[in-house]
């Protein structure tokens, strides 16, 4: 099952470079790249997904990846796996129109559709619950660690 893990600690980074008012390019540690933009009503050009979409996609992707990996380890033959993440929010918070409204999501829900040829509904429920507890992105969202802000003026 692979090499033994002797240390699990790491610090991961994502670097965002703004190309114009709403369009940005995010660079991963190995040169991976995503592009993000905002819709025209938000001052963007609508040339790509917005950061909120990437946030929800990240949550869905991490959750589904951990579910699939754990299912494989357990010998569960998945026939369907679909994870949909929805977020509720109010745009007035992001635009600063009402300081009593948060710019962040007020609620997030993850919806999992799962099927397998060789697992009971209880086993699938347990698989999903285990995966949610072991998904790094899901745990980060649920645990909300301290997020420090460092500003360098150049």
């Amino acid at each position: 099952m692979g090499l033994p893990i002797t240390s699990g600690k790491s610090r991961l980074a994502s670097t965002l470079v703004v190309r114009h008012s709403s369009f940005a390019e995010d660079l991963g540690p190995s040169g991976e790249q995503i592009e993000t933009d905002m819709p025209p009503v938000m001052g963007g050009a609508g040339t790509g997904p917005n950061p909120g979409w990437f946030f929800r996609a990240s949550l869905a992707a991490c959750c589904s990846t951990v579910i699939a990996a754990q299912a494989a380890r357990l010998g569960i033959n998945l026939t369907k796996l679909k994870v949909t993440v929805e977020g509720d929010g109010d745009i007035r918070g992001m635009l600063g129109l009402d300081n009593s409204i948060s710019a962040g999501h007020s609620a997030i829900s993850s919806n999992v559709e799962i099927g397998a040829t060789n697992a009971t509904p209880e086993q699938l429920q347990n698989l999903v619950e285990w995966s949610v507890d072991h998904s790094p992105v899901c745990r980060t969202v649920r645990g909300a660690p301290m997020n420090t802000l460092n500003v360098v003026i150049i």
Side-chain angles (χ1 to χ4, degrees):
M1 232 207 256
L3 299 173
I5 297 174
T6 58
S7 174
K9 293 187 176 185
S10 64
R11 183 164 185 95
L12 306 172
S14 179
T15 302
L16 188 79
V17 179
V18 176
R19 298 291 180 209
H20 59 76
S21 64
S22 68
F23 180 81
E25 176 181 77
D26 192 13
L27 306 172
S30 299
E32 303 92 336
Q33 179 177 321
I34 62 172
E35 297 175 345
T36 176
D37 199 353
M38 296 299 286
V41 298
M42 298 289 296
T47 61
N50 67 53
W53 182 89
F54 276 117
F55 168 74
R56 293 182 300 278
S58 172
L59 188 54
C62 193
C63 183
S64 62
T65 299
V66 173
I67 291 170
Q70 181 66 357
R73 280 193 288 279
L74 296 174
I76 296 174
N77 180 29
L78 295 179
T79 57
K80 177 165 188 166
L81 177 57
K82 178 181 176 183
V83 178
T84 304
V85 175
E86 300 170 318
D88 297 333
D90 188 327
I91 192 113
R92 294 176 296 169
M94 186 177 128
L95 295 175
L97 300 176
D98 185 337
N99 288 333
S100 69
I101 298 173
S102 171
H105 287 302
S106 58
I108 299 171
S109 63
S110 298
N111 308 292
V112 179
E113 294 179 38
I114 189 169
T117 58
N118 62 341
T120 66
E122 181 182 14
Q123 289 171 316
L124 294 176
Q125 180 72 33
N126 290 338
L127 169 64
V128 171
E129 289 175 4
W130 183 94
S131 298
V132 165
D133 285 339
H134 293 84
S135 159
V137 175
C138 188
R139 291 309 313 155
T140 300
V141 169
R142 288 175 179 238
M146 182 173 32
N147 181 354
T148 58
L149 174 65
N150 301 303
V151 178
V152 177
I153 308 295
I154 56 172

mmCIF file of all heavy atoms in Angstrom, residues 6 16 19 21 34 38 43 46 54 59 62 87 90 99 101 116 127 129 131 133-135 137 142 144 146 154:
data_model
loop_
_atom_site.group_PDB
_atom_site.id
_atom_site.type_symbol
_atom_site.label_atom_id
_atom_site.label_comp_id
_atom_site.label_asym_id
_atom_site.label_seq_id
_atom_site.Cartn_x
_atom_site.Cartn_y
_atom_site.Cartn_z
ATOM 1 N N THR A 6 6.489 8.690 7.383
ATOM 2 C CA THR A 6 7.264 8.992 8.579
ATOM 3 C C THR A 6 6.969 10.383 9.121
ATOM 4 O O THR A 6 7.189 10.653 10.285
ATOM 5 C CB THR A 6 8.780 8.868 8.290
ATOM 6 O OG1 THR A 6 9.111 9.759 7.222
ATOM 7 C CG2 THR A 6 9.135 7.437 7.905
ATOM 8 N N LEU A 16 -1.616 33.690 -6.120
ATOM 9 C CA LEU A 16 -2.547 34.316 -7.045
ATOM 10 C C LEU A 16 -1.926 35.577 -7.616
ATOM 11 O O LEU A 16 -1.419 36.412 -6.871
ATOM 12 C CB LEU A 16 -3.851 34.668 -6.333
ATOM 13 C CG LEU A 16 -4.949 35.154 -7.265
ATOM 14 C CD1 LEU A 16 -5.594 33.964 -7.948
ATOM 15 C CD2 LEU A 16 -5.964 35.947 -6.512
ATOM 16 N N ARG A 19 -4.168 39.783 -13.053
ATOM 17 C CA ARG A 19 -3.758 40.225 -14.386
ATOM 18 C C ARG A 19 -4.455 41.520 -14.805
ATOM 19 O O ARG A 19 -3.902 42.309 -15.533
ATOM 20 C CB ARG A 19 -4.043 39.125 -15.415
ATOM 21 C CG ARG A 19 -3.273 37.862 -15.160
ATOM 22 C CD ARG A 19 -1.805 38.069 -15.415
ATOM 23 N NE ARG A 19 -1.074 36.836 -15.170
ATOM 24 C CZ ARG A 19 0.160 36.780 -14.786
ATOM 25 N NH1 ARG A 19 0.845 37.868 -14.595
ATOM 26 N NH2 ARG A 19 0.746 35.629 -14.572
ATOM 27 N N SER A 21 -8.339 43.990 -13.485
ATOM 28 C CA SER A 21 -9.216 44.269 -12.354
ATOM 29 C C SER A 21 -9.919 43.064 -11.753
ATOM 30 O O SER A 21 -10.077 42.989 -10.549
ATOM 31 C CB SER A 21 -10.250 45.321 -12.752
ATOM 32 O OG SER A 21 -11.094 44.820 -13.766
ATOM 33 N N ILE A 34 -4.826 27.807 -12.710
ATOM 34 C CA ILE A 34 -6.253 28.029 -12.909
ATOM 35 C C ILE A 34 -6.450 29.515 -13.129
ATOM 36 O O ILE A 34 -5.633 30.331 -12.702
ATOM 37 C CB ILE A 34 -7.125 27.536 -11.724
ATOM 38 C CG1 ILE A 34 -6.780 28.282 -10.433
ATOM 39 C CG2 ILE A 34 -7.010 26.042 -11.552
ATOM 40 C CD1 ILE A 34 -7.732 27.985 -9.292
ATOM 41 N N MET A 38 -14.652 37.380 -12.548
ATOM 42 C CA MET A 38 -15.954 37.681 -11.961
ATOM 43 C C MET A 38 -16.937 37.977 -13.086
ATOM 44 O O MET A 38 -16.530 38.396 -14.169
ATOM 45 C CB MET A 38 -15.855 38.878 -11.012
ATOM 46 C CG MET A 38 -14.973 38.645 -9.800
ATOM 47 S SD MET A 38 -15.537 37.318 -8.728
ATOM 48 C CE MET A 38 -16.931 38.086 -7.939
ATOM 49 N N GLY A 43 -18.178 43.549 -12.083
ATOM 50 C CA GLY A 43 -17.034 44.300 -12.578
ATOM 51 C C GLY A 43 -16.031 43.470 -13.349
ATOM 52 O O GLY A 43 -14.992 43.967 -13.755
ATOM 53 N N GLY A 46 -16.308 38.023 -17.030
ATOM 54 C CA GLY A 46 -17.007 36.745 -17.140
ATOM 55 C C GLY A 46 -16.256 35.727 -17.984
ATOM 56 O O GLY A 46 -16.876 34.861 -18.592
ATOM 57 N N PHE A 54 -14.777 28.075 -7.504
ATOM 58 C CA PHE A 54 -13.606 27.244 -7.243
ATOM 59 C C PHE A 54 -13.599 26.750 -5.795
ATOM 60 O O PHE A 54 -13.187 25.624 -5.520
ATOM 61 C CB PHE A 54 -12.306 28.004 -7.539
ATOM 62 C CG PHE A 54 -11.922 27.966 -8.989
ATOM 63 C CD1 PHE A 54 -11.872 29.132 -9.729
ATOM 64 C CD2 PHE A 54 -11.603 26.772 -9.623
ATOM 65 C CE1 PHE A 54 -11.505 29.112 -11.070
ATOM 66 C CE2 PHE A 54 -11.240 26.734 -10.962
ATOM 67 C CZ PHE A 54 -11.189 27.912 -11.684
ATOM 68 N N LEU A 59 -14.110 21.909 -2.488
ATOM 69 C CA LEU A 59 -14.737 21.123 -1.433
ATOM 70 C C LEU A 59 -15.322 19.828 -2.001
ATOM 71 O O LEU A 59 -15.102 18.736 -1.458
ATOM 72 C CB LEU A 59 -15.818 21.972 -0.752
ATOM 73 C CG LEU A 59 -16.485 21.438 0.496
ATOM 74 C CD1 LEU A 59 -15.475 21.052 1.566
ATOM 75 C CD2 LEU A 59 -17.445 22.490 1.047
ATOM 76 N N CYS A 62 -12.371 17.427 -3.250
ATOM 77 C CA CYS A 62 -11.617 16.790 -2.173
ATOM 78 C C CYS A 62 -12.466 15.704 -1.513
ATOM 79 O O CYS A 62 -11.989 14.590 -1.273
ATOM 80 C CB CYS A 62 -11.162 17.828 -1.153
ATOM 81 S SG CYS A 62 -9.929 17.195 0.010
ATOM 82 N N GLY A 87 -23.744 26.739 -1.716
ATOM 83 C CA GLY A 87 -23.480 27.761 -0.711
ATOM 84 C C GLY A 87 -24.520 28.863 -0.777
ATOM 85 O O GLY A 87 -24.925 29.277 -1.859
ATOM 86 N N ASP A 90 -25.029 36.373 0.463
ATOM 87 C CA ASP A 90 -25.681 37.625 0.112
ATOM 88 C C ASP A 90 -24.620 38.549 -0.479
ATOM 89 O O ASP A 90 -23.669 38.935 0.202
ATOM 90 C CB ASP A 90 -26.305 38.251 1.369
ATOM 91 C CG ASP A 90 -27.166 39.464 1.080
ATOM 92 O OD1 ASP A 90 -26.853 40.221 0.120
ATOM 93 O OD2 ASP A 90 -28.145 39.678 1.815
ATOM 94 N N ASN A 99 -22.617 46.479 6.059
ATOM 95 C CA ASN A 99 -21.557 45.915 6.889
ATOM 96 C C ASN A 99 -22.058 44.865 7.880
ATOM 97 O O ASN A 99 -21.249 44.165 8.482
ATOM 98 C CB ASN A 99 -20.805 47.018 7.624
ATOM 99 C CG ASN A 99 -19.942 47.821 6.669
ATOM 100 O OD1 ASN A 99 -19.501 47.319 5.638
ATOM 101 N ND2 ASN A 99 -19.714 49.074 7.012
ATOM 102 N N ILE A 101 -23.762 42.339 6.934
ATOM 103 C CA ILE A 101 -23.873 41.103 6.157
ATOM 104 C C ILE A 101 -22.470 40.602 5.827
ATOM 105 O O ILE A 101 -21.639 41.339 5.305
ATOM 106 C CB ILE A 101 -24.674 41.347 4.860
ATOM 107 C CG1 ILE A 101 -26.103 41.786 5.198
ATOM 108 C CG2 ILE A 101 -24.677 40.092 3.984
ATOM 109 C CD1 ILE A 101 -26.910 42.211 3.997
ATOM 110 N N ALA A 116 -23.052 1.413 -4.867
ATOM 111 C CA ALA A 116 -22.010 0.404 -4.997
ATOM 112 C C ALA A 116 -22.656 -0.959 -5.200
ATOM 113 O O ALA A 116 -23.784 -1.192 -4.760
ATOM 114 C CB ALA A 116 -21.118 0.382 -3.762
ATOM 115 N N LEU A 127 -18.889 5.181 5.010
ATOM 116 C CA LEU A 127 -17.809 5.578 4.114
ATOM 117 C C LEU A 127 -17.819 7.083 3.892
ATOM 118 O O LEU A 127 -16.785 7.747 3.999
ATOM 119 C CB LEU A 127 -17.941 4.847 2.773
ATOM 120 C CG LEU A 127 -17.055 5.340 1.629
ATOM 121 C CD1 LEU A 127 -15.582 5.130 1.949
ATOM 122 C CD2 LEU A 127 -17.438 4.626 0.335
ATOM 123 N N GLU A 129 -19.272 9.434 5.764
ATOM 124 C CA GLU A 129 -18.982 10.135 7.019
ATOM 125 C C GLU A 129 -17.493 10.068 7.349
ATOM 126 O O GLU A 129 -16.907 11.070 7.782
ATOM 127 C CB GLU A 129 -19.835 9.570 8.148
ATOM 128 C CG GLU A 129 -21.303 9.941 8.000
ATOM 129 C CD GLU A 129 -22.210 9.297 9.029
ATOM 130 O OE1 GLU A 129 -21.708 8.601 9.947
ATOM 131 O OE2 GLU A 129 -23.435 9.487 8.921
ATOM 132 N N SER A 131 -15.074 9.781 5.218
ATOM 133 C CA SER A 131 -14.389 10.613 4.223
ATOM 134 C C SER A 131 -14.510 12.088 4.537
ATOM 135 O O SER A 131 -13.552 12.850 4.357
ATOM 136 C CB SER A 131 -14.932 10.302 2.825
ATOM 137 O OG SER A 131 -14.670 8.951 2.506
ATOM 138 N N ASP A 133 -14.695 13.341 7.451
ATOM 139 C CA ASP A 133 -13.778 13.584 8.566
ATOM 140 C C ASP A 133 -12.313 13.569 8.147
ATOM 141 O O ASP A 133 -11.459 14.065 8.876
ATOM 142 C CB ASP A 133 -13.990 12.544 9.668
ATOM 143 C CG ASP A 133 -15.258 12.788 10.467
ATOM 144 O OD1 ASP A 133 -15.759 13.934 10.454
ATOM 145 O OD2 ASP A 133 -15.737 11.841 11.110
ATOM 146 N N HIS A 134 -11.999 12.983 6.991
ATOM 147 C CA HIS A 134 -10.612 12.847 6.545
ATOM 148 C C HIS A 134 -10.293 13.644 5.286
ATOM 149 O O HIS A 134 -9.178 13.579 4.780
ATOM 150 C CB HIS A 134 -10.262 11.366 6.368
ATOM 151 C CG HIS A 134 -10.253 10.642 7.671
ATOM 152 N ND1 HIS A 134 -11.405 10.132 8.246
ATOM 153 C CD2 HIS A 134 -9.258 10.389 8.549
ATOM 154 C CE1 HIS A 134 -11.107 9.574 9.404
ATOM 155 N NE2 HIS A 134 -9.812 9.721 9.615
ATOM 156 N N SER A 135 -11.244 14.397 4.778
ATOM 157 C CA SER A 135 -11.022 15.268 3.628
ATOM 158 C C SER A 135 -10.354 16.550 4.116
ATOM 159 O O SER A 135 -10.933 17.281 4.928
ATOM 160 C CB SER A 135 -12.362 15.607 2.957
ATOM 161 O OG SER A 135 -12.252 16.774 2.180
ATOM 162 N N VAL A 137 -9.852 19.491 2.763
ATOM 163 C CA VAL A 137 -10.594 20.728 2.491
ATOM 164 C C VAL A 137 -11.846 20.791 3.358
ATOM 165 O O VAL A 137 -12.143 21.825 3.966
ATOM 166 C CB VAL A 137 -10.934 20.863 0.986
ATOM 167 C CG1 VAL A 137 -11.809 22.087 0.732
ATOM 168 C CG2 VAL A 137 -9.659 20.937 0.154
ATOM 169 N N ARG A 142 -14.783 23.044 7.983
ATOM 170 C CA ARG A 142 -15.532 22.783 9.210
ATOM 171 C C ARG A 142 -14.788 23.239 10.456
ATOM 172 O O ARG A 142 -15.391 23.678 11.421
ATOM 173 C CB ARG A 142 -15.871 21.302 9.324
ATOM 174 C CG ARG A 142 -16.923 20.877 8.347
ATOM 175 C CD ARG A 142 -17.141 19.378 8.412
ATOM 176 N NE ARG A 142 -18.174 19.005 7.473
ATOM 177 C CZ ARG A 142 -19.290 18.390 7.817
ATOM 178 N NH1 ARG A 142 -19.508 18.057 9.061
ATOM 179 N NH2 ARG A 142 -20.184 18.095 6.897
ATOM 180 N N ALA A 144 -12.336 25.630 10.533
ATOM 181 C CA ALA A 144 -11.981 27.045 10.416
ATOM 182 C C ALA A 144 -10.751 27.430 11.227
ATOM 183 O O ALA A 144 -10.841 28.119 12.238
ATOM 184 C CB ALA A 144 -13.168 27.927 10.777
ATOM 185 N N MET A 146 -7.227 29.354 12.285
ATOM 186 C CA MET A 146 -6.873 30.764 12.237
ATOM 187 C C MET A 146 -6.227 31.065 10.884
ATOM 188 O O MET A 146 -5.398 30.310 10.396
ATOM 189 C CB MET A 146 -5.909 31.129 13.359
ATOM 190 C CG MET A 146 -5.569 32.602 13.347
ATOM 191 S SD MET A 146 -4.585 33.223 14.737
ATOM 192 C CE MET A 146 -3.555 31.892 15.182
ATOM 193 N N ILE A 154 4.952 47.185 -1.453
ATOM 194 C CA ILE A 154 6.150 47.361 -2.278
ATOM 195 C C ILE A 154 6.059 48.633 -3.100
ATOM 196 O O ILE A 154 5.019 49.184 -3.326
ATOM 197 C CB ILE A 154 6.419 46.162 -3.193
ATOM 198 C CG1 ILE A 154 5.195 45.876 -4.067
ATOM 199 C CG2 ILE A 154 6.757 44.952 -2.338
ATOM 200 C CD1 ILE A 154 5.444 44.827 -5.121
#
